[in-house]
Amino acid sequence: MAISGCSSTNHSSTLPTISFSYYSPTKSCHQVFNNLHLPPSHSSSKHALKSTPEATFATSTATHEGVTLTIDAAKAARAAVASAFEIENFLDFREWKKDDEEKTWRNGVLMRRKRRRKRRKAFSENLENEKVIMNVAIKPTNSGQYLTPKQEAEYTLCLKEEARVEAVRKRIEETTENEVTFAQWAKAAGMSKNSLDKVLCDGREAQERITRCYRRLVISVASSYQGKGLSLQDLIQEGNLGLLHGAKKFNPEKGYKLSTYVYWWIRQAITKAIAKKSKITRLPGSVSELVPRICEANAVLSRRLRKLPTCQEIAEAVKRDMSTVWLALERNREPISLDQPIVAGASMSLQEIVAGPDETTPEAIVKKQFMKRDIEKLLKGLCDREVNILRLYYGLNGNTPQSFEEIGRQLELSRERVRQISCTALTKLRQTSMVNDLITYILHS
């Protein structure tokens, strides 16, 4: 800041020039006054003017104003320094907060990436076995094409010849107790050892070629049966067995393709495997085929009636007897573990409260003894052959009941003769008075 001297027409005196250097709050007022530069004295000059009272007053006024401005500047500088300090602290806090947020975000990103890698690794491990099976299956040999008609006829003939010699070996094993040697096998098949070895090698090669070339067909059929109790690997394996079984029965002279013929054999092998191996309790084939229809009818009727349908309503929907539907629903239930607790969190399991087959009450034991004694008295009025037949047929001796045919082979009688003897013995028993005593056991059971 500088204050220039003023000049007038009446007064030619020059005011002092005041200059302020950069002000620091640490400097004192004495240092400020030391910066006042007064003009040199002109008394020695011949052109110097004499000082007047007006000039002295103007100089003092300018000096007072300069001091006031200096104090204001010091206050402003002090406020600016405080503001700068606050701004610096705020910027440091913002930078720290930004770094902390960036670190938190980076950690979150790293955790999410780690979880994604873990899921991908688990997914890749689950698909590892399927890739091992399907890596060759999706791109079979022979440029991705099926076998030619000539190759189909050749390979199926090799399979049929191998099946023939295998049947010979099984027939020999049934007749002899010792293990069949290769020489005995070749002699029974009517060929030399080299010929038999060539037949077996050709059969194995035909199986490998057919399985490799038609594996895409097997996978396409097996993939439609996923989620029914067997894994994809098991379904593909069962489909390959059906493929080879159908190839052995294929007749190329009828003009059909092998892929068209074996398609139904593959489906049949897979459906049979699902019916036999997918559940602990095996259901008959007709019942296992009826279960999906019953489930579908149950879902449709539940939406339509807005309640659980009865067995009669489901039987009318699938056009089957109610007893058949009830049997399919009962047998299709999932098994319950005996170690399962009765109530969640309870220590008592079903095994502790469900009675076993050998657990009978004392009353039942006494009742069984009296009934056995009365049956023995009742059978005394029959001949030995009639008693023996009734014991074998109804299992009164504690063994498994047998049919009339089995009893006839054991007694060297025909099935019809055994049935006649049984009917005659039952007619004799009905005419006795002791039958009424046995009825009480049935009524009180």
Side-chain angles (χ1 to χ4, degrees):
M1 176 180 180
I3 303 175
S4 305
C6 344
S7 62
S8 67
T9 55
N10 299 326
H11 305 282
S12 62
S13 63
T14 306
L15 294 176
T17 303
I18 301 174
S19 63
F20 298 97
S21 62
Y22 176 78
Y23 176 76
S24 174
T26 60
K27 291 185 178 180
S28 63
C29 294
H30 297 285
Q31 294 174 336
V32 175
F33 285 112
N34 291 334
N35 291 331
L36 295 177
H37 301 287
L38 297 177
S41 177
H42 299 285
S43 59
S44 61
S45 177
K46 60 180 179 180
H47 300 291
L49 297 176
K50 292 183 178 181
S51 175
T52 61
E54 291 81 358
T56 303
F57 177 77
T59 302
S60 61
T61 304
T63 302
H64 180 71
E65 292 178 356
V67 172
T68 304
L69 292 174
T70 302
I71 295 174
D72 294 340
K75 292 180 179 180
R78 190 179 294 108
V81 170
S83 300
F85 183 73
E86 292 178 359
I87 291 173
E88 185 177 1
N89 291 338
F90 177 72
L91 292 177
D92 291 342
F93 175 74
R94 283 188 61 185
E95 186 176 359
W96 173 81
K97 188 175 181 181
K98 184 178 180 181
D99 293 341
D100 185 65
E101 291 178 353
E102 185 178 356
K103 185 177 180 181
T104 304
W105 176 81
R106 191 183 300 110
N107 292 336
V109 171
L110 292 176
M111 290 299 295
R112 288 195 296 271
R113 289 177 180 174
K114 187 176 180 180
R115 287 194 295 267
R116 283 198 297 268
R117 291 194 202 101
K118 194 172 182 180
R119 287 195 300 266
R120 290 171 184 169
K121 184 177 180 181
F123 182 73
S124 61
E125 289 178 356
N126 291 334
L127 294 179
E128 188 68 24
N129 295 330
E130 295 184 6
K131 288 182 179 179
V132 171
I133 296 177
M134 297 174 64
N135 56 359
V136 181
I138 295 178
K139 294 182 179 180
T141 57
N142 197 14
S143 303
Q145 300 294 331
Y146 292 140
L147 298 175
T148 61
K150 183 178 179 180
Q151 290 174 337
E152 290 178 357
E154 179 181 354
Y155 290 144
T156 52
L157 182 61
C158 293
L159 291 179
K160 291 177 182 179
E161 188 66 19
E162 183 189 16
R164 186 184 70 83
V165 296
E166 286 290 340
V168 172
R169 183 182 63 83
K170 291 180 180 179
R171 188 165 58 249
I172 297 174
E173 288 180 351
E174 292 177 357
T175 55
T176 59
E177 297 180 356
N178 299 328
E179 186 177 356
V180 181
T181 61
F182 197 76
Q184 294 175 348
W185 189 6
K187 183 178 180 181
M191 57 181 66
S192 62
K193 294 182 180 180
N194 294 334
S195 299
L196 179 59
D197 186 58
K198 186 176 184 304
V199 167
L200 297 176
C201 291
D202 292 342
R204 286 193 293 269
E205 183 182 357
Q207 289 181 5
E208 293 177 0
R209 286 297 302 273
I210 292 175
T211 304
R212 191 183 308 119
C213 292
Y214 291 93
R215 192 172 293 179
R216 291 176 63 185
L217 176 63
V218 174
I219 292 176
S220 64
V221 177
S223 60
S224 61
Y225 288 93
Q226 293 188 68
K228 295 188 177 181
L230 294 180
S231 62
L232 181 61
Q233 293 88 343
D234 295 336
L235 294 174
I236 293 174
Q237 187 67 23
E238 296 295 336
N240 288 331
L241 296 177
L243 169 67
L244 296 177
H245 187 72
K248 293 176 183 178
K249 295 181 175 295
F250 177 67
N251 187 5
E253 296 179 357
K254 293 187 177 181
Y256 299 108
K257 289 184 178 181
L258 180 61
S259 58
T260 306
Y261 182 77
V262 299
Y263 177 80
W264 301 105
W265 288 99
I266 295 172
R267 286 191 58 183
Q268 186 184 33
I270 292 176
T271 53
K272 283 186 176 181
I274 291 174
K276 291 180 179 179
K277 303 176 183 180
S278 62
K279 296 181 180 180
I280 299 177
T281 305
R282 182 183 176 277
L283 298 177
S286 59
V287 178
S288 61
E289 293 176 358
L290 183 62
V291 169
R293 294 175 55 192
I294 293 175
C295 295
E296 183 180 359
N298 188 10
V300 172
L301 292 174
S302 299
R303 291 193 300 267
R304 184 187 304 172
L305 303 176
R306 296 183 180 180
K307 67 179 185 67
L308 292 177
T310 61
C311 291
Q312 183 65 32
E313 294 171 346
I314 297 175
E316 293 176 357
V318 298
K319 298 180 180 179
R320 291 296 185 93
D321 297 336
M322 188 179 68
S323 58
T324 305
V325 174
W326 180 83
L327 179 63
L329 292 175
E330 289 293 325
R331 297 294 184 269
N332 195 43
R333 291 182 177 179
E334 293 293 333
I336 300 175
S337 175
L338 291 176
D339 297 329
Q340 177 181 349
I342 302 174
V343 184
S347 59
M348 184 176 294
S349 61
L350 292 175
Q351 187 177 4
E352 299 177 2
I353 62 173
V354 176
D358 298 333
E359 296 180 5
T360 55
T361 60
E363 294 83 1
I365 296 175
V366 173
K367 179 181 177 181
K368 188 175 181 180
Q369 292 177 353
F370 278 106
M371 183 172 61
K372 186 176 180 180
R373 184 191 61 184
D374 292 342
I375 290 175
E376 292 294 335
K377 290 181 180 180
L378 184 64
L379 294 177
K380 289 181 179 179
L382 303 176
C383 63
D384 295 339
R385 187 169 65 173
E386 293 175 345
V387 171
N388 190 18
I389 290 176
L390 290 180
R391 288 181 182 277
L392 294 175
Y393 185 72
Y394 292 101
L396 300 179
N397 52 1
N399 296 329
T400 304
Q402 300 180 11
S403 63
F404 290 145
E405 186 175 356
E406 294 173 346
I407 297 172
R409 286 198 299 267
Q410 185 175 351
L411 300 178
E412 297 181 356
L413 297 173
S414 63
R415 175 181 177 278
E416 182 62 24
R417 181 56 185 159
V418 174
R419 189 190 65 80
Q420 292 175 359
I421 296 173
S422 175
C423 292
T424 303
L426 292 176
T427 303
K428 292 180 180 179
L429 294 177
R430 292 190 187 99
Q431 295 175 356
T432 60
S433 60
M434 294 183 62
V435 177
N436 296 328
D437 298 335
L438 295 176
I439 295 177
T440 57
Y441 294 108
I442 300 175
L443 295 177
H444 291 49
S445 60

